Amino acid sequence: GESVGLHLPTLSVQEGDNSIINCAYSNSASDYFIWYKQESGKGPQFIIDIRSNMDKRQGQRVTVLLNKTVKHLSLQIAATQPGDSAVYFCAENIYDMRFGAGTRLTVKP
Amino acid sequence: NAGVTQTPKFQVLKTGQSMTLQCAQDMNHEYMSWYRQDPGMGLRLIHYSVGAGITDQGEVPNGYNVSRSTTEDFPLRLLSAAPSQTSVYFCASSYSTLHGYTFGSGTRLTVV
């Protein structure tokens, strides 16, 4: 079946550097994508979303890029901070929301 | 505005016991879902609801029942608990399929 997946399970970056987390999706009918952040012991927290009629969307220190040609989604975090350490999930939404396996981001001081 | 409230936060069950995980939201969201999260894994959809009186199965519905009698509440019932149901359960709600979900803080369930 079709699924949402991630290229890398872990990512370690230096404080102040930019982070890029990638996600591949295979369902061409998906029209809405979301990135979530999950800190240890907590529920996922909405970061940013993008609809299929857009290629890029920016928030505060975060940017989501959508490449529909290769079915790829990425989350860019600028000037990564220790508080950004968490697991990041991409999710695609059609009639319900399906999550990828997640990428653990570790920020080194 | 409490958001999504899940109870209990922790629960230990014996194999074969039944229980209900409670979920309530006060944001007047139509969409509600239940997910389970196993260690080191993503969230898997158990059941979801697009409005009061309407529910549907997700990826892993076996062993679970749901109902949606009101917009606010979406309880998850474990019919006969099994060790394979040991997991963290999250409830989430949203205005629609084109809005991000708000998650509860989770229920950590252990079946022995």
Side-chain angles (χ1 to χ4, degrees):
Chain A
E2 296 181 323
S3 63
V4 176
L6 289 168
H7 294 308
L8 296 172
T10 61
L11 177 65
S12 182
V13 300
Q14 205 71 36
E15 181 179 357
D17 287 350
N18 296 334
S19 302
I20 300 176
I21 301 172
N22 296 304
C23 177
Y25 69 94
S26 57
N27 193 332
S28 58
S30 297
D31 56 2
Y32 180 57
F33 304 87
I34 312 113
W35 280 100
Y36 290 90
K37 173 186 180 182
Q38 186 177 28
E39 296 174 292
S40 181
K42 298 183 179 180
Q45 179 184 6
F46 175 93
I47 302 174
I48 192 168
D49 59 0
I50 189 168
R51 302 193 179 180
S52 59
N53 60 353
M54 303 171 67
D55 297 323
K56 179 180 180 179
R57 191 165 188 220
Q58 289 183 294
Q60 187 176 9
R61 286 201 304 117
V62 295
T63 300
V64 56
L65 299 178
L66 176 62
N67 185 330
K68 294 180 287 292
T69 302
V70 295
K71 297 178 184 173
H72 184 267
L73 194 70
S74 68
L75 176 70
Q76 300 178 2
I77 305 173
T80 312
Q81 303 169 359
D84 294 327
S85 293
V87 177
Y88 290 81
F89 295 96
C90 65
E92 60 179 328
N93 210 354
I94 313 174
Y95 299 107
D96 55 59
M97 190 160 58
R98 302 297 175 102
F99 284 76
T103 291
R104 180 175 298 279
L105 174 65
T106 301
V107 182
K108 296 176 289 185
Chain B
N1 189 339
V4 178
T5 302
Q6 290 185 238
T7 57
K9 292 189 183 301
F10 300 94
Q11 183 71 48
V12 178
L13 288 178
K14 294 182 178 179
T15 298
Q17 286 184 319
S18 62
M19 78 161 294
T20 299
L21 307 185
Q22 301 292 342
C23 176
Q25 53 92 7
D26 60 359
M27 298 171 283
N28 203 31
H29 286 170
E30 290 294 330
Y31 286 76
M32 296 187 74
S33 299
W34 276 102
Y35 293 84
R36 61 176 287 173
Q37 186 175 32
D38 299 314
M41 296 181 66
L43 289 87
R44 291 185 291 169
L45 181 65
I46 305 171
H47 286 283
Y48 66 100
S49 169
V50 300
I54 306 169
T55 64
D56 208 345
Q57 296 180 350
E59 304 169 81
V60 288
N62 292 339
Y64 308 94
N65 274 356
V66 292
S67 60
R68 185 94 180 271
S69 57
T70 67
T71 298
E72 295 78 19
D73 299 299
F74 191 42
L76 177 72
R77 299 182 188 85
L78 278 70
L79 309 174
S80 177
S84 61
Q85 293 179 304
T86 294
S87 189
V88 180
Y89 291 84
F90 289 101
C91 178
S93 72
S94 174
Y95 283 113
S96 74
T97 56
L98 294 180
H99 291 82
Y101 273 59
T102 299
F103 281 82
S105 58
T107 294
R108 185 174 297 276
L109 175 69
T110 301
V111 182
V112 297

